[in-house]
């Protein structure tokens, strides 16, 4: 009888032990009392292929593309229909499309029309395809709209082209046309304003550090160098014309071609924080009416290793903090080979998406970026491998009047941020128990709080091959359930709602090589 009781007790204990919660592989702590930057937007540009799509492609196709980029809606299962971009970059063209082959730009799709005609009149029917996307931006209530120019109109340039024929690093804008250029930009903004489309920002000098040189017939796109002195002059002139036109549009500078150009170097457009935003500088623009305390740069070519990714962005964060500036990352795609992480051969679409998430993560957590914008929303390319340039892979016909398209994993990678981290949310403290360098190949996490509603968004990137059970420890007791959205290499796992209203104490599983967003609502709502 005694042995039977002992056997029964053993069975009970064994059964209880089977239901004992598994020990988490890692605990991520979130402290909502420690706050950092307020997030402004997440966006992308519509060059160059937005013109053909918007002008010629069948409505069903281009409307689905717009939905993928801008929609905040969900399907019947609660999965996002799109990534809900909160900003869009619109290119104001220089007129190379009208020049045709005489432009010297080899790819006709990268030539851009200009609203200003050679006789000084304006034709607002130009850039029809690009303008179609502006209408979609308004329809989807995208929060912020940015206009940018790669080159002044060709009638204002030294060589009558949209790029340089020599490597002197001098601007292609003729001295006598500086005022004409800013008047042109202001006229474009005024036209759209009168037609119900408001541009929040105008960027007049894109990637000023490059020489933008090409031999005639081999040019890739419009572009011109600018010196810091040029940028200062343009900003001051533009500030005056915006004020005179009573436009509430801010000037976005410097659109530096690399992050480190903001704080170091001795070139014509280097050390831009010190040259343009230090009150003692003769080029100071920080006191202009239409100049926000924002400086923008691109994350290209600073991604060759995890150490470089982290160290460069730490320096950006330090430099902008000292100057009391917000930092915007306003353009990035995987131009170099850093995204390969030392691997040879092709990288899968998910590998590219994970690398993209890594760059976004460190731009936000180390450089304190309050906005993050990608180049490019769509381009022709493969949808399965080396998807480093685009969110949506295009397979167009030769004339580019129709084609097929495929959203790639980069789209959904970006969506973890753009869809859930809305303008006005504040980044809060996260601790994974690892150094930044360790986390770059393992587990990266950031968190964002909507202070008005109490909603907390936690994004976790599992860069490793290993599935992990994660326990989320949020300070205080305001949160006890979460909904989980996952993107992984599986075909249908694209911001997929994997869990809903799950108890926080139970933790969550994150698959190897995947990205997870947790949405937590305050229990006091």
């Amino acid at each position: 009888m005694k042995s039977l009781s002992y056997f029964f007790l053993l069975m009970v204990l064994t059964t209880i032990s089977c239901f004992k919660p598994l020990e988490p592989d890692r605990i991520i702590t979130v402290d909502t009392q420690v706050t950092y930057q307020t997030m402004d937007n997440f966006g992308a540009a519509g060059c160059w292929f937005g013109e053909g799509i918007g002008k010629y492609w069948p409505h069903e196709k281009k409307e689905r593309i717009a939905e993928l980029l801008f929609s905040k809606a969900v399907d019947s299962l609660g999965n996002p229909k799109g990534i809900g971009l909160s900003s869009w970059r619109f290119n104001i063209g220089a007129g190379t499309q009208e020049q045709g082959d005489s432009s010297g730009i080899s790819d006709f799709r990268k030539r851009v029309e200009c609203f200003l005609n050679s006789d000084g009149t304006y034709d607002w029917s130009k850039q029809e395809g690009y303008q179609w996307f502006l209408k979609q931006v308004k329809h989807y209530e995208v929060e912020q709209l940015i206009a940018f120019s790669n080159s002044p109109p060709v009638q204002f340039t030294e060589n009558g082209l949209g790029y340089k024929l020599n490597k002197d690093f001098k601007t292609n804008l003729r001295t006598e046309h500086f005022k004409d250029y800013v008047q042109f930009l202001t006229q474009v903004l005024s036209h759209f304003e009168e037609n119900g489309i408001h541009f929040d920002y105008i960027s007049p000098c894109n990637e000023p550090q490059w020489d933008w040189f090409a031999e005639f017939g081999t040019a890739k796109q419009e572009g011109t160098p600018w010196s810091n002195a040029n940028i200062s002059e343009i900003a001051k002139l533009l500030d005056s014309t915006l004020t005179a036109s009573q436009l509430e549009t801010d000037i976005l500078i410097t659109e530096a071609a690399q992050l480190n150009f903001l704080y170091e170097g001795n070139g014509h457009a280097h050390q831009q924080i010190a040259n343009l935003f230090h009150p003692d500088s003769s080029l100071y623009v920080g006191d202009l009416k239409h100049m926000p305390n924002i400086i923008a740069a691109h994350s290209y070519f600073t991604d060759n290793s995890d150490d470089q990714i982290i160290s460069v962005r730490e320096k950006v964060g330090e430099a902008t903090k000292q100057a009391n500036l917000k930092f915007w990352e306003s353009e990035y795609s995987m131009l170099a080979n850093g995204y390969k992480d030392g691997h040879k051969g092709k990288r899968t679409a998910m590998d590219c998406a994970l690398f993209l998430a890594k760059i976004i993560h460190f731009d936000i957590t180390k450089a304190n970026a309050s906005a993050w914008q990608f180049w490019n929303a769509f381009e022709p390319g493969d949808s399965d491998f080396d998807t480093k340039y685009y969110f949506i892979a295009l397979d167009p016909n030769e004339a580019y009047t129709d084609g097929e398209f495929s959203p790639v994993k980069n789209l959904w990678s970006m969506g973890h941020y753009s869809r859930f981290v809305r303008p006005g949310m504040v980044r809060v403290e996260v601790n994974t128990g690892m150094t930044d360098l360790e986390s770059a190949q393992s587990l990266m996490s950031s968190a964002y709080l909507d202070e008005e509603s109490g909603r907390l968004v936690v994004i976790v990137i599992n860069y490793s091959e290993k599935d992990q059970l994660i326990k989320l420890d949020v300070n205080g007791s305001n949160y006890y359930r979460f909904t989980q959205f996952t993107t992984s290499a599986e075909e249908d796992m694209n911001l997929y709602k994997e869990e809903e209203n799950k108890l926080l104490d139970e933790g969550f599983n994150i698959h190897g090589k995947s990205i997870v967003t947790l949405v937590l609502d305050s229990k006091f709502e």
Side-chain angles (χ1 to χ4, degrees):
M1 197 64 186
K2 180 178 179 181
S3 60
L4 185 60
S5 299
Y6 175 78
F7 179 72
F8 177 75
L9 178 61
L10 183 63
M11 286 183 63
V12 170
L13 291 174
T14 302
T15 302
I16 292 173
S17 67
C18 289
F19 289 97
K20 182 180 179 181
L22 294 173
E23 287 296 318
D25 295 296
R26 186 164 297 277
I27 297 174
I28 296 176
T29 59
V30 178
D31 188 345
T32 60
Q33 301 302 308
V34 180
T35 60
Y36 298 97
Q37 74 269 35
T38 299
M39 305 307 297
D40 290 325
N41 64 73
F42 289 89
C47 298
W48 307 102
F49 307 94
E51 180 66 9
I53 294 170
K55 189 173 183 178
Y56 299 114
W57 283 37
H59 281 281
E60 183 179 350
K61 292 180 181 179
K62 63 186 181 183
E63 285 173 358
R64 176 54 181 150
I65 288 174
E67 183 180 50
L68 285 166
L69 294 170
F70 305 128
S71 177
K72 306 176 190 72
V74 296
D75 63 19
S76 59
L77 298 176
N79 300 309
K81 291 183 177 181
I83 65 169
L85 293 178
S86 48
S87 68
W88 185 247
R89 289 171 59 87
F90 172 82
N91 178 217
I92 299 175
T96 53
Q97 182 62 253
E98 290 90 336
Q99 292 178 319
D101 291 342
S102 297
S103 69
I105 294 177
S106 56
D107 187 340
F108 74 92
R109 298 169 300 182
K110 296 185 180 181
R111 304 167 189 163
V112 190
E113 292 177 334
C114 184
F115 295 118
L116 181 62
N117 297 319
S118 58
D119 63 1
T121 61
Y122 283 83
D123 183 350
W124 301 114
S125 68
K126 300 283 187 69
Q127 296 193 228
E128 180 183 342
Y130 288 121
Q131 290 198 60
W132 184 86
F133 277 96
L134 288 183
K135 294 172 184 175
Q136 295 302 304
V137 165
K138 185 176 181 179
H139 169 73
Y140 283 101
E141 299 181 337
V142 175
E143 285 83 348
Q144 295 183 35
L145 191 54
I146 303 151
F148 71 100
S149 171
N150 289 315
S151 167
V154 292
Q155 53 265 51
F156 296 159
T157 64
E158 291 281 1
N159 57 17
L161 299 172
Y163 59 94
K164 295 279 289 186
L165 292 173
N166 54 335
K167 294 185 179 184
D168 59 7
F169 290 95
K170 294 180 180 179
T171 181
N172 203 19
L173 177 62
R174 295 204 300 270
T175 303
E176 65 268 27
H177 285 307
F178 269 61
K179 289 184 179 179
D180 295 326
Y181 176 45
V182 299
Q183 288 284 0
F184 161 72
L185 294 176
T186 304
Q187 186 62 45
V188 172
L189 297 175
S190 296
H191 165 77
F192 282 107
E193 189 79 32
E194 292 166 3
N195 286 272
I197 295 177
H198 172 67
F199 283 95
D200 300 275
Y201 298 91
I202 174 66
S203 170
C205 304
N206 186 57
E207 296 193 337
Q209 292 82 11
W210 301 146
D211 58 38
W212 292 105
F213 160 82
E215 293 183 359
F216 185 84
T218 66
K220 302 298 183 184
Q221 66 167 86
E222 298 174 353
T224 180
W226 302 93
S227 68
N228 284 331
N230 294 151
I231 296 169
S232 177
E233 182 178 357
I234 289 291
K236 291 171 183 177
L237 290 170
L238 185 54
D239 185 70
S240 296
T241 61
L242 291 172
T243 301
S245 298
Q246 298 183 322
L247 286 169
E248 295 184 2
T249 298
D250 283 334
I251 302 168
L252 182 65
I253 58 175
T254 63
E255 297 263 26
Q258 290 184 188
L259 300 179
N260 55 309
F261 294 159
L262 294 179
Y263 60 81
E264 68 179 9
N266 298 307
H268 64 287
H270 289 64
Q271 296 194 44
Q272 294 195 296
I273 292 174
N275 277 294
L276 295 168
F277 284 96
H278 195 289
D280 293 337
S281 171
S282 61
L283 306 180
Y284 181 62
V285 296
D287 58 349
L288 299 179
K289 179 181 178 180
H290 293 269
M291 185 64 66
N293 64 328
I294 296 171
I295 195 163
H298 301 169
S299 282
Y300 299 123
F301 308 119
T302 53
D303 56 6
N304 291 326
S305 67
D306 291 338
D307 184 67
Q308 184 190 43
I309 289 169
I310 294 165
S311 63
V312 167
R313 284 151 184 81
E314 284 179 335
K315 291 173 183 175
V316 171
E318 292 165 3
T320 50
K321 182 179 180 180
Q322 289 177 4
N324 194 31
L325 290 171
K326 277 186 172 186
F327 167 62
W328 278 22
E329 192 293 311
S330 57
E331 196 177 300
Y332 177 75
S333 66
M334 292 163 250
L335 280 179
N337 289 323
Y339 77 101
K340 291 189 175 182
D341 270 325
H343 295 269
K344 294 182 180 179
K346 292 182 177 181
R347 298 290 277 161
T348 69
M350 193 63 211
D351 288 328
C352 293
L354 286 165
F355 191 84
L356 176 62
K358 179 196 289 192
I359 295 298
I360 298 173
H361 169 80
F362 284 117
D363 278 344
I364 291 173
T365 62
K366 296 287 104 178
N368 292 316
S370 56
W372 204 95
Q373 295 147 18
F374 186 73
W375 179 279
N376 200 356
F378 28 62
E379 289 194 12
D382 194 324
S383 60
D384 296 319
F385 294 96
D386 291 340
T387 57
K388 54 185 182 172
Y389 297 135
Y390 41 82
F391 290 156
I392 297 172
L394 305 176
D395 183 16
N397 62 21
E398 188 175 350
Y400 198 55
T401 55
D402 196 356
E404 302 301 327
F405 66 92
S406 301
V408 303
K409 293 293 181 178
N410 288 340
L411 178 81
W412 308 110
S413 175
M414 177 70 160
H416 282 273
Y417 295 89
S418 59
R419 178 63 181 79
F420 299 104
V421 184
R422 305 308 303 173
M425 295 182 77
V426 177
R427 183 170 73 88
V428 297
E429 177 74 9
V430 174
N431 188 348
T432 62
M434 292 181 286
T435 66
D436 292 319
L437 204 56
E438 289 170 338
S439 72
Q441 292 295 323
S442 180
L443 209 68
M444 294 163 271
S445 183
S446 58
Y448 310 85
L449 177 67
D450 184 328
E451 293 179 306
E452 185 175 341
S453 69
R455 171 167 288 191
L456 179 66
V457 170
V458 181
I459 300 171
V460 184
I461 307 160
N462 187 358
Y463 214 74
S464 73
E465 302 271 2
K466 178 186 175 185
D467 291 4
Q468 297 190 54
L469 175 62
I470 307 297
K471 176 74 178 297
L472 193 64
D473 182 10
V474 184
N475 69 303
S477 57
N478 285 352
Y479 305 97
Y480 69 109
R481 289 185 182 274
F482 66 88
T483 299
Q484 176 179 338
F485 297 86
T486 298
T487 297
S488 69
E490 295 178 47
E491 184 177 353
D492 296 327
M493 294 293 282
N494 301 315
L495 287 185
Y496 178 75
K497 190 168 74 172
E498 195 169 11
E499 299 279 0
E500 185 171 18
N501 291 325
K502 186 177 181 181
L503 287 171
L504 194 62
D505 288 343
E506 294 178 6
F508 66 95
N509 288 300
I510 183 167
H511 309 296
K513 287 188 171 292
S514 72
I515 308 166
V516 158
T517 292
L518 307 180
V519 179
L520 299 82
D521 288 307
S522 170
K523 70 178 182 181
F524 299 116
E525 277 195 306

